[in-house]
Amino acid sequence: ACHNANVNTHHVPFLQLSINAFDYNCHVDLIKLLRQEGKLHRLRKARQKMSELFPLTEEIWLDWLKDEIRLTEDESDREKVYELFERAVKDYMCPEIWLEYVQYSIGGMGAQGGIERVRSIFERALTAVGLHMTKGASIWEAYREFEILLNAQLERIHTLFRRQLAVPLMDMEGTYAEYSDWADDGVPETVTHQYRRALQQLEKCKPFEEALLVSEPPKLAEYQAYIDFEMKEGDPARVQIIFERALAENCLVPDLWIKYTMYLDRQLKIKDLVLSAHERAVRNCPWTMGLWKSYLLALERHGADHQTVTDVFEKALNAGFIQAADYVEIWQSNLDYLRRRVDFKWSRELDELRAAFARSLDYLKEDVKERFSESGDLSCIIMQIWARIEALHCKNMQKARELWDSIMTKGNAKYANMWLEYYNLERSYGDAVHCRKALHRAVQCTSDYPEHVCDVLLNFERVEGSLEDWDAAVQKTETKLNRVNEQRVAEKEAVLARQEEEKAEHRRKAKADKKAQKKSQKTDRAGDKRKAEDEYEEEWGEDEELPSKRLRGEEDFGSTAKEEHMETESGLFSRRAPPPRKTEPPGFRKNQQGLSEAPRQPQDISKEQRKDEECVFVSNLPFNLEDPEGKMRTLFQGCGTVQQVRPIFTAKGVFKGYCYVQFEDRLAVSEALKLDRQEVDGRPMFVSPCVDKNKNPDFKVFKYKTAMEKHKIFISGLPYSCTKETLEDLCKQHGTVKTIRLVTNRSGKPKGLAYVEYENEAQASQAVLKMDGTMLENFTISVAISNPPSRKMEDKAAPSRILGAAMLRQPQGARGKGRTQISLLPRSLYRQSAPDAKAENGTVSAPHATSLSNEDFAKMLLKK
């Protein structure tokens, strides 16, 4: 049973590898299982297979090397281990593997040439990892101990000390002290000087080394900073060692390989080093097309034979790129290489190039399209290059035209740039007949930029054509442009119709939402016009200003300010005053959600302590706001010390949507006003100063100008989904945008209007010229210079409220308007006033009628 379990355990990774040979984790699991069971023959084959596909980690290599060293019996086996070490040191820069390599080679120094072999391996190890700041010292020390063991000449040992002391390594102070004790004549001055320079370099690098010590793997950011430092220092050997150290821990980061190989290509340019790095890069990140492309260029640059380049290209095709465009680019790189090989006087390389072009088209059409559902070459770049090569180098325009016919049949005939590319080819290497034919076909087929193609045809006929050719070109272009204009008008009308449908749907939806919201409102809000005398008389006193007299200006751009008159009216044509409120017992007003256990009584602040200049009026709050007093206190506590919050409730204890916030000092008021329009439970909160309207009847809180501002533009017709960022991206193309205001209603919903302020009038005028009538998200927007409607002041009320109501107010109907909207004065007795100087944003100018005076009547009678 145990045997069968082991067999089944082996079958799992074998089965997975038979399905996907590139499953890295399955290879690792299989090697661990075979090593545990001691099946060395199968273990060797598994390791061999994995090393062919992937670079192996330091741990896997050391396990493999130790297993092979344990099985070594004769000199022939030792040579196989040497070969295995050579393969191991090529994958990554690993000081432990090099140290194991030199120690193993010391065991074979008794053979012929063994000592020289050991020294050669030591020198290679010093070149590879001797500059490793934290681990390189172990190689230097092992080398010195080996020479001391051989009783080598003192000069050789002196040389090793001097070379090591010139390299910045950790604990190099101990090495210097050891050399001082070992040297009979003391340390030479030149060695001391080199040691001090290396020590200075060590101090520069210590912060980076310490950052690597304390950070968690893979330490990519720390290595990037270290690499940038070394590249700035400019020592190629040190740059190489830090790249190798970084790649040992970040082998699957393509950008790091790209940066390293680019440095080697441009700076060191050493063939073996460059090609080795490129090969390791594509083995670690085979899915990155850019690494394969760089590898092919490096092979060509360093004179690799044609078969080697071809083999690498075939491996690239099987690497499994992640997008179709990568295969197009790798094919272009190979075709560029083959084109550079061609001597167009001989046919062998040219035939190979043509065969490669044909194969690339088949590969993209079949293999790539099957995998990605597209060829990746929508513009047929490869076919365009092939056609140009045939025309330029081979003088074969017939083949070039065949290729372009194929390009146009692949869905490119509607693009003007494709036709112009073909026309330029014919213009350069063909004849006038084919140029004219190409342009006529272009005018007929182009749909994106037909005007441009028509201009090219007419200009061509001006230079090349006869009168008959000119007439034919004019007729063809006029027919085409007329048809295009008709299509554009139809499309624009369809867009406008769709916009109207969307707006109507939006209005219907908003109306339905509002109706549903009102229906779901459980509290009785009938007749709630914010009449607040009854609430305020006992909280503010009869002599204080009522909240109904606070003027609250709508902050919509260009909209007329709306005064919220909420006073209780009496007298002729006025609403009947409500009955006086009965005295309520303590704790009568409670929050409808059950939050207020205690009565909602204002804090004990006398009327003398209440000052308008230290208070703000907060309105437009949700009626169902939970704990308005606590919410407002929390919201305004950052502005200053809040003395009192006085929310206003109906007789039934329902919150009326506004309150007063009293501060200790007037400095807090300016901070509180900055919270104006901040959202509270989805509604914009209005914050305005408290001003006694009886003392300041002309006070207005509307903070936007209503006169013409030539440096501002007014935009209407915006989609309701338009954001401030979208509008800024659109407007900043025509100048420097200072501020943008999107107009909203009292609930915070957009109105499709906006004001944009530019730095000067010229920029605003340019924006009007460029943007008016343009499309934004299928909406046609209108743009004009800012000229908001004038804000007309209402007649001031007489001192006596009863007399004012009786004498100055118009008779009102059920909806608050006049009882009749029809003028009973004959039209001839009206005279027209002067029209407005300029139309206002959002308004339509209309003549104003005024009644005739007695003097006017007298003049009319005298004339008759």
Side-chain angles (χ1 to χ4, degrees), residues 363-376:
Y363 187 89
L364 296 176
K365 182 180 178 181
E366 298 173 3
D367 298 61
V368 176
K369 194 167 185 177
E370 180 181 354
R371 180 179 174 187
F372 297 99
S373 301
E374 60 162 327
S375 66

PDB file of all heavy atoms in Angstrom, residues 363-376:
ATOM      1  N   TYR A 363       1.768  33.099 -40.304  1.00  0.00           N
ATOM      2  CA  TYR A 363       1.856  32.864 -38.861  1.00  0.00           C
ATOM      3  C   TYR A 363       0.882  33.777 -38.113  1.00  0.00           C
ATOM      4  O   TYR A 363       0.175  33.340 -37.201  1.00  0.00           O
ATOM      5  CB  TYR A 363       3.288  33.118 -38.390  1.00  0.00           C
ATOM      6  CG  TYR A 363       3.536  32.745 -36.946  1.00  0.00           C
ATOM      7  CD1 TYR A 363       3.937  31.463 -36.586  1.00  0.00           C
ATOM      8  CD2 TYR A 363       3.362  33.673 -35.927  1.00  0.00           C
ATOM      9  CE1 TYR A 363       4.164  31.122 -35.267  1.00  0.00           C
ATOM     10  CE2 TYR A 363       3.574  33.353 -34.600  1.00  0.00           C
ATOM     11  CZ  TYR A 363       3.982  32.069 -34.279  1.00  0.00           C
ATOM     12  OH  TYR A 363       4.204  31.737 -32.965  1.00  0.00           O
ATOM     13  N   LEU A 364       0.851  35.061 -38.497  1.00  0.00           N
ATOM     14  CA  LEU A 364      -0.058  35.997 -37.833  1.00  0.00           C
ATOM     15  C   LEU A 364      -1.515  35.659 -38.124  1.00  0.00           C
ATOM     16  O   LEU A 364      -2.383  35.802 -37.255  1.00  0.00           O
ATOM     17  CB  LEU A 364       0.246  37.427 -38.276  1.00  0.00           C
ATOM     18  CG  LEU A 364       1.617  37.984 -37.890  1.00  0.00           C
ATOM     19  CD1 LEU A 364       1.809  39.367 -38.490  1.00  0.00           C
ATOM     20  CD2 LEU A 364       1.782  38.042 -36.379  1.00  0.00           C
ATOM     21  N   LYS A 365      -1.780  35.215 -39.341  1.00  0.00           N
ATOM     22  CA  LYS A 365      -3.151  34.915 -39.738  1.00  0.00           C
ATOM     23  C   LYS A 365      -3.669  33.656 -39.063  1.00  0.00           C
ATOM     24  O   LYS A 365      -4.860  33.581 -38.697  1.00  0.00           O
ATOM     25  CB  LYS A 365      -3.211  34.767 -41.263  1.00  0.00           C
ATOM     26  CG  LYS A 365      -4.605  34.487 -41.803  1.00  0.00           C
ATOM     27  CD  LYS A 365      -4.573  34.365 -43.312  1.00  0.00           C
ATOM     28  CE  LYS A 365      -5.948  34.048 -43.877  1.00  0.00           C
ATOM     29  NZ  LYS A 365      -5.928  33.908 -45.350  1.00  0.00           N
ATOM     30  N   GLU A 366      -2.803  32.671 -38.865  1.00  0.00           N
ATOM     31  CA  GLU A 366      -3.252  31.378 -38.344  1.00  0.00           C
ATOM     32  C   GLU A 366      -2.959  31.239 -36.844  1.00  0.00           C
ATOM     33  O   GLU A 366      -3.872  31.212 -36.021  1.00  0.00           O
ATOM     34  CB  GLU A 366      -2.588  30.245 -39.135  1.00  0.00           C
ATOM     35  CG  GLU A 366      -2.962  30.256 -40.616  1.00  0.00           C
ATOM     36  CD  GLU A 366      -2.173  29.241 -41.419  1.00  0.00           C
ATOM     37  OE1 GLU A 366      -1.372  28.492 -40.788  1.00  0.00           O
ATOM     38  OE2 GLU A 366      -2.334  29.186 -42.647  1.00  0.00           O
ATOM     39  N   ASP A 367      -1.688  31.173 -36.483  1.00  0.00           N
ATOM     40  CA  ASP A 367      -1.321  30.885 -35.093  1.00  0.00           C
ATOM     41  C   ASP A 367      -1.749  31.996 -34.143  1.00  0.00           C
ATOM     42  O   ASP A 367      -2.394  31.746 -33.110  1.00  0.00           O
ATOM     43  CB  ASP A 367       0.188  30.658 -34.979  1.00  0.00           C
ATOM     44  CG  ASP A 367       0.659  29.470 -35.797  1.00  0.00           C
ATOM     45  OD1 ASP A 367       0.486  29.506 -37.022  1.00  0.00           O
ATOM     46  OD2 ASP A 367       1.211  28.517 -35.222  1.00  0.00           O
ATOM     47  N   VAL A 368      -1.378  33.236 -34.481  1.00  0.00           N
ATOM     48  CA  VAL A 368      -1.665  34.348 -33.573  1.00  0.00           C
ATOM     49  C   VAL A 368      -3.164  34.630 -33.504  1.00  0.00           C
ATOM     50  O   VAL A 368      -3.723  34.838 -32.422  1.00  0.00           O
ATOM     51  CB  VAL A 368      -0.889  35.615 -34.006  1.00  0.00           C
ATOM     52  CG1 VAL A 368      -1.253  36.800 -33.133  1.00  0.00           C
ATOM     53  CG2 VAL A 368       0.611  35.359 -33.936  1.00  0.00           C
ATOM     54  N   LYS A 369      -3.826  34.631 -34.635  1.00  0.00           N
ATOM     55  CA  LYS A 369      -5.261  34.916 -34.645  1.00  0.00           C
ATOM     56  C   LYS A 369      -6.055  33.830 -33.925  1.00  0.00           C
ATOM     57  O   LYS A 369      -7.064  34.106 -33.272  1.00  0.00           O
ATOM     58  CB  LYS A 369      -5.748  35.069 -36.080  1.00  0.00           C
ATOM     59  CG  LYS A 369      -7.136  35.694 -36.182  1.00  0.00           C
ATOM     60  CD  LYS A 369      -7.440  36.110 -37.605  1.00  0.00           C
ATOM     61  CE  LYS A 369      -8.779  36.845 -37.672  1.00  0.00           C
ATOM     62  NZ  LYS A 369      -9.080  37.325 -39.037  1.00  0.00           N
ATOM     63  N   GLU A 370      -5.598  32.592 -34.011  1.00  0.00           N
ATOM     64  CA  GLU A 370      -6.277  31.512 -33.306  1.00  0.00           C
ATOM     65  C   GLU A 370      -6.183  31.695 -31.799  1.00  0.00           C
ATOM     66  O   GLU A 370      -7.110  31.374 -31.061  1.00  0.00           O
ATOM     67  CB  GLU A 370      -5.665  30.177 -33.721  1.00  0.00           C
ATOM     68  CG  GLU A 370      -6.303  28.977 -33.030  1.00  0.00           C
ATOM     69  CD  GLU A 370      -5.661  27.677 -33.457  1.00  0.00           C
ATOM     70  OE1 GLU A 370      -4.799  27.702 -34.372  1.00  0.00           O
ATOM     71  OE2 GLU A 370      -5.994  26.634 -32.865  1.00  0.00           O
ATOM     72  N   ARG A 371      -5.060  32.236 -31.327  1.00  0.00           N
ATOM     73  CA  ARG A 371      -4.842  32.390 -29.883  1.00  0.00           C
ATOM     74  C   ARG A 371      -5.465  33.662 -29.331  1.00  0.00           C
ATOM     75  O   ARG A 371      -6.062  33.653 -28.254  1.00  0.00           O
ATOM     76  CB  ARG A 371      -3.344  32.373 -29.593  1.00  0.00           C
ATOM     77  CG  ARG A 371      -3.002  32.537 -28.123  1.00  0.00           C
ATOM     78  CD  ARG A 371      -1.507  32.490 -27.894  1.00  0.00           C
ATOM     79  NE  ARG A 371      -1.174  32.787 -26.516  1.00  0.00           N
ATOM     80  CZ  ARG A 371       0.060  32.954 -26.053  1.00  0.00           C
ATOM     81  NH1 ARG A 371       1.084  32.846 -26.890  1.00  0.00           N
ATOM     82  NH2 ARG A 371       0.279  33.233 -24.799  1.00  0.00           N
ATOM     83  N   PHE A 372      -5.363  34.773 -30.061  1.00  0.00           N
ATOM     84  CA  PHE A 372      -5.804  36.074 -29.547  1.00  0.00           C
ATOM     85  C   PHE A 372      -7.043  36.622 -30.248  1.00  0.00           C
ATOM     86  O   PHE A 372      -7.483  37.725 -29.919  1.00  0.00           O
ATOM     87  CB  PHE A 372      -4.676  37.107 -29.682  1.00  0.00           C
ATOM     88  CG  PHE A 372      -3.446  36.783 -28.882  1.00  0.00           C
ATOM     89  CD1 PHE A 372      -2.352  36.183 -29.484  1.00  0.00           C
ATOM     90  CD2 PHE A 372      -3.391  37.071 -27.528  1.00  0.00           C
ATOM     91  CE1 PHE A 372      -1.217  35.887 -28.760  1.00  0.00           C
ATOM     92  CE2 PHE A 372      -2.259  36.788 -26.795  1.00  0.00           C
ATOM     93  CZ  PHE A 372      -1.169  36.185 -27.405  1.00  0.00           C
ATOM     94  N   SER A 373      -7.584  35.913 -31.230  1.00  0.00           N
ATOM     95  CA  SER A 373      -8.738  36.368 -32.016  1.00  0.00           C
ATOM     96  C   SER A 373      -8.426  37.609 -32.829  1.00  0.00           C
ATOM     97  O   SER A 373      -9.337  38.320 -33.268  1.00  0.00           O
ATOM     98  CB  SER A 373      -9.943  36.644 -31.096  1.00  0.00           C
ATOM     99  OG  SER A 373     -10.288  35.485 -30.385  1.00  0.00           O
ATOM    100  N   GLU A 374      -7.160  37.916 -33.026  1.00  0.00           N
ATOM    101  CA  GLU A 374      -6.728  39.010 -33.891  1.00  0.00           C
ATOM    102  C   GLU A 374      -5.288  38.744 -34.306  1.00  0.00           C
ATOM    103  O   GLU A 374      -4.540  38.049 -33.621  1.00  0.00           O
ATOM    104  CB  GLU A 374      -6.822  40.356 -33.169  1.00  0.00           C
ATOM    105  CG  GLU A 374      -5.971  40.457 -31.910  1.00  0.00           C
ATOM    106  CD  GLU A 374      -5.755  41.890 -31.483  1.00  0.00           C
ATOM    107  OE1 GLU A 374      -5.685  42.749 -32.370  1.00  0.00           O
ATOM    108  OE2 GLU A 374      -5.621  42.128 -30.268  1.00  0.00           O
ATOM    109  N   SER A 375      -4.918  39.306 -35.447  1.00  0.00           N
ATOM    110  CA  SER A 375      -3.560  39.086 -35.938  1.00  0.00           C
ATOM    111  C   SER A 375      -2.549  40.001 -35.265  1.00  0.00           C
ATOM    112  O   SER A 375      -1.354  39.720 -35.275  1.00  0.00           O
ATOM    113  CB  SER A 375      -3.513  39.311 -37.453  1.00  0.00           C
ATOM    114  OG  SER A 375      -3.764  40.678 -37.753  1.00  0.00           O
ATOM    115  N   GLY A 376      -3.014  41.087 -34.693  1.00  0.00           N
ATOM    116  CA  GLY A 376      -2.109  42.040 -34.065  1.00  0.00           C
ATOM    117  C   GLY A 376      -1.566  43.087 -35.015  1.00  0.00           C
ATOM    118  O   GLY A 376      -0.940  44.055 -34.580  1.00  0.00           O
TER     119      GLY A 376
END
